[in-house]
Amino acid sequence: MGGQESKIATGGSLQGVAYPDIAQVPEENLPSLGRSQAYTVKVPQSVVRPSNGTLTMDCVIHGVRKIIKIPKGQKGGETFTFTQIKSEAHKVFTSTLPSVPGMDIVQSKPIIWGSISYSFYRGSSNQQAMGNMVGKLMQDAQAKIVEQVIQHRCNACLGMSFNVTNDSSGDRGNQKLVIITAQGTPCVIVPTTTARAVGASTMAEPVYS
């Protein structure tokens, strides 16, 4: 039992109002949880015979090494196209500041939150590791925030804050529970020069989680 650990991630939004979508902000400028992109690669010359569909090859996409299957019938020197689904979470701005320097807010939506609960049993090694793990748990909570931002068709979460709580009442004080919650306001932000050309409606409409 001493080695039991568990981690649960949740997230959502609070009831509130938001301005209608701004048509002038193109969809392609907003990050996606899974945008597909096609790539064309050439089969290595070392593949002399046509592939049987199980052969693989290495390729580098944006500096990341990938292993992909060579389509059946393809051989050295020939090219083929494959599609990869890639999250664009890295395009989301997250900040404890109320704004991003050089950017203007053109739309905001109701508050969102992301929470990570981590439980473990007391032990010297676990308690020492916990000090190093807090940062990782905060990162996990922020990941849930980013997920909510994209689902709300925004590209930033501003005014973020983190709250850390702990409980040692379980199993006569031997079970520890740490909960880290992040919250913030999802927004659409654009470069200041672009914001002047974006028109926003002043009509509010309710949004519910």
Side-chain angles (χ1 to χ4, degrees), residues 39-206:
Y39 298 92
T40 299
V41 295
K42 180 181 290 187
V43 180
Q45 293 292 348
S46 58
V47 181
V48 180
R49 296 181 179 180
S51 170
N52 59 6
T54 61
L55 294 178
T56 60
M57 60 177 284
D58 291 350
C59 66
V60 178
I61 302 175
H62 302 302
V64 179
R65 178 175 173 269
K66 299 286 184 180
I67 298 178
I68 58 176
K69 284 188 176 182
I70 301 174
K72 188 175 182 178
Q74 296 280 314
K75 60 182 179 180
E78 296 180 342
T79 60
F80 65 91
T81 301
F82 71 95
T83 301
Q84 181 179 10
I85 304 298
K86 181 181 180 182
S87 170
E88 297 181 321
H90 63 284
K91 294 184 178 180
V92 175
F93 292 85
T94 54
S95 178
T96 56
L97 296 173
S99 62
V100 176
M103 309 286 279
D104 282 348
I105 300 172
V106 296
Q107 185 181 23
S108 66
K109 294 188 177 181
I111 296 170
I112 57 176
W113 58 273
S115 181
I116 300 293
S117 60
Y118 177 69
S119 63
F120 62 96
Y121 274 82
R122 183 172 61 181
S124 58
S125 59
N126 283 342
Q127 290 179 323
Q128 291 173 2
M130 194 62 229
N132 297 324
M133 195 171 185
V134 169
K136 176 63 170 61
L137 294 176
M138 291 178 68
Q139 191 70 52
D140 290 342
Q142 179 173 282
K144 294 301 295 184
I145 286 286
V146 169
E147 181 181 311
Q148 295 292 322
V149 167
I150 295 177
Q151 290 178 352
H152 282 73
R153 307 307 300 137
C154 294
N155 64 350
C157 185
L158 303 180
M160 285 186 63
S161 63
F162 291 87
N163 182 57
V164 181
T165 59
N166 65 84
D167 178 26
S168 301
S169 60
D171 195 12
R172 299 180 180 180
N174 290 316
Q175 186 177 26
K176 307 292 183 179
L177 174 65
V178 177
I179 301 176
I180 296 184
T181 303
Q183 62 182 17
T185 302
C187 305
V188 175
I189 60 175
V190 296
T192 301
T193 54
T194 303
R196 298 170 185 169
V198 176
S201 171
T202 57
M203 181 186 300
E205 61 179 14

